[in-house]
């Protein structure tokens, strides 16, 4: 199993940047593909970005492509989401997730963090 805790959320003006972090605990972190999702009130949780076990492959939702960057540090058991050029529509609770597979994917995640709020003001 793996436990996940997000940090780095907050309030930022449109056009600004935030960096989310996800700390993982448990064994075999390097065997998990990781992802970031987000949820706004009344909506489903949407895929934002994913990274393979090695960090060599990444995948992004069209809405964030070119603005967000996912990365991981397996030695530190950390996953990051660098968010630039933020827009009010990026406001959501952001969740870190782990998938019991090495390949990047938009679904099939098994473990979830509690989430961190990101609010982008116009």
């Amino acid at each position: 199993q793996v436990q996940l805790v997000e940090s780095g959320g907050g309030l930022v003006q449109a056009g600004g940047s935030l960096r989310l972090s996800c700390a993982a605990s448990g064994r075999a972190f390097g065997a998990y593909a990781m992802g970031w999702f987000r949820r706004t009130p009344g909506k489903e949780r949407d895929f934002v970005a994913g990274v393979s076990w090695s960090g060599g492959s990444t995948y992004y939702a069209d809405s964030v492509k070119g603005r967000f960057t996912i990365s991981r540090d397996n030695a530190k058991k950390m996953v990051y989401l660098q968010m630039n050029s933020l827009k009010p529509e990026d406001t959501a609770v952001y969740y870190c997730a782990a998938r019991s597979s090495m390949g990047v994917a938009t679904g099939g995640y098994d473990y979830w963090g509690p989430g961190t709020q990101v609010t982008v003001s116009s």
Side-chain angles (χ1 to χ4, degrees):
Q1 281 197 351
V2 62
Q3 293 78 43
L4 305 170
V5 178
E6 305 91 343
S7 62
L11 175 64
V12 63
Q13 287 189 331
S17 298
L18 278 177
R19 188 196 197 202
L20 303 184
S21 299
C22 174
S25 60
R27 307 172 81 174
F29 173 72
Y32 293 91
M34 300 297 296
W36 286 95
F37 289 73
R38 65 188 182 187
R39 176 183 281 166
T40 55
K43 294 188 177 181
E44 297 287 326
R45 188 158 50 188
D46 293 327
F47 172 81
V48 174
V51 61
S52 63
W53 70 277
S54 67
S57 296
T58 57
Y59 189 77
Y60 298 91
D62 288 342
S63 59
V64 306
K65 202 172 295 182
R67 300 188 297 122
F68 290 11
T69 303
I70 187 172
S71 61
R72 66 188 295 164
D73 184 333
N74 285 348
K76 295 182 179 179
K77 296 185 178 180
M78 295 291 295
V79 181
Y80 307 99
L81 185 68
Q82 178 66 43
M83 306 186 295
N84 299 328
S85 301
L86 282 161
K87 305 175 181 179
E89 50 264 43
D90 294 318
T91 295
V93 177
Y94 282 73
Y95 299 89
C96 176
R99 182 169 180 265
S100 300
S101 173
M102 292 185 175
V104 65
T106 61
Y109 286 78
D110 306 295
Y111 305 100
W112 298 85
T116 185
Q117 175 71 46
V118 171
T119 302
V120 184
S121 64
S122 57

